[in-house]
Each structure stands twice: as structure tokens, then as C-alpha cells.
Amino acid sequence: IQLGNKARIECEMLPGRVFSGVVEMIAPVVDAATGTLKVTVRVTEGAGNLKPGMFCSVYILIETHHDVLVISRRALIPETEVPEVFVVDDSAVVHRHRLTLGISQGDNLEVLNGLTESDRVVVIGQENIHEGSRTRISVAAADSAAADVPAAPQTRPDWKNNRGGKAGAWRK
């Protein structure tokens, strides 16, 4: 944590509202009993809505990466010890790719190694396929609940354009 880091403030009493702030002071010593560090954040947006005694969670942005390859957490193969995804080659054959991940924010995961921009990543139906499976490629709208979505595993070829994404690491 450094002076000037951006902060995001969320309060239980004001659900859905997010306030902005900036780190102004950092205690010089870590509390040995709790392992915590006192940090003072100045609220820069919406301070008038906050009242004494409100319980809030503060998330401090400690790192931002620009122009990175980003995938959805949903693309990860469930129940694996290391992060892996299924990638479909030009012959519609599925291959398992082990990933090295960077920072994450919500559903977005930065991919440091294991994928390229042109890879077609399976995002639905990973539990129904395995290495060497043949699949049918179908582009579906994100989070679509359309009845005509095929039962076969799908890939999202449009994900190959996720370079240029932004990943931020927030710490509570």
C-alpha cells in the first residue's frame, strides 16, 4: 500500500453505493497482535452520504495491469488443482491448457501464460468434455438464456480479442 493509492468504499447501510477515496496516511508500524496496519483514506466522492458510526469496507487498489489477456473465471475447468481451460483447435478438437494467472478482479482473470489471443476457450460445458473431444463451435451472447443454445460444449471465439483488457488487484 502506498500514499495516493485509489480506494473503493462500500457501506452496509448504503447497499449498491460505491464511494471513491485515496490513501492519505499509512501507519509506520504493523500491529504485532493483529497483523494489521492503520491506513487513512480520504473520501473524494460522495463523502456527504457517509455518517459517523457507519460500517464500511474499504478496498485499496494496489496494482493495475493494462493491455493484458483476460478470461472469465467461468472458463476454468472445475475441480482442478492448477488453473486449466479447454481450448478448441481449428479442427474442432478440444485440448487442455494449463494457465499461469496474474491478478484477478471479480470474474476477470489475467492470463500470463498458457493462452494466446487467437485461442478459442470453452466457457460452457467443461464437465461434459475431455482432452481430444470433438466439439461444435457456437457463439452465444454473454449470459444468454436463449432456448436455442445447443447442448454441445461451446467456445467464445470473440474472447480472443480480450487483449487490451485491464486487470486490477484490490485488497480489503
Side-chain angles (χ1 to χ4, degrees):
I1 297 176
Q2 298 176 345
L3 294 177
N5 282 126
K6 293 180 181 179
R8 186 179 79 224
I9 301 118
E10 299 174 4
C11 301
E12 290 180 357
M13 297 290 292
L14 300 168
R17 299 281 312 267
V18 178
F19 304 94
S20 298
V22 63
V23 174
E24 281 200 333
M25 290 190 296
I26 304 169
V29 182
V30 174
D31 183 313
T34 64
T36 60
L37 182 69
K38 282 194 175 188
V39 175
T40 301
V41 172
R42 179 176 47 85
V43 180
T44 57
E45 290 181 21
N49 295 306
L50 301 175
K51 306 293 181 220
M54 292 177 94
F55 180 78
C56 298
S57 293
V58 178
Y59 302 88
I60 299 173
L61 182 63
I62 59 168
E63 190 173 3
T64 302
H65 297 172
H66 297 276
D67 194 29
V68 296
L69 188 61
V70 177
I71 63 168
S72 170
R73 186 176 304 279
R74 295 181 315 167
L76 294 177
I77 301 171
E79 301 178 15
T80 57
E81 291 185 25
V82 295
E84 294 179 313
V85 294
F86 285 122
V87 173
V88 180
D89 68 17
D90 292 336
S91 301
V93 176
V94 174
H95 301 282
R96 202 176 192 113
H97 283 230
R98 181 171 286 185
L99 305 180
T100 303
L101 299 177
I103 59 179
S104 65
Q105 181 178 0
D107 190 47
N108 295 321
L109 303 172
E110 176 187 19
V111 179
L112 300 175
N113 196 359
L115 287 178
T116 66
E117 291 179 58
S118 61
D119 285 333
R120 296 179 293 185
V121 177
V122 176
V123 296
I124 298 172
Q126 294 93 326
E127 63 280 352
N128 298 322
I129 58 176
H130 53 82
E131 175 73 27
S133 294
R134 294 190 61 78
T135 188
R136 174 176 47 167
I137 297 172
S138 173
V139 178
D143 298 319
S144 172
D148 60 354
V149 174
Q154 301 173 21
T155 64
R156 293 267 319 261
D158 53 335
W159 279 31
K160 67 184 177 184
N161 297 321
N162 273 359
R163 173 145 319 263
K166 181 175 158 185
W170 294 85
R171 293 292 182 256
K172 185 174 179 181

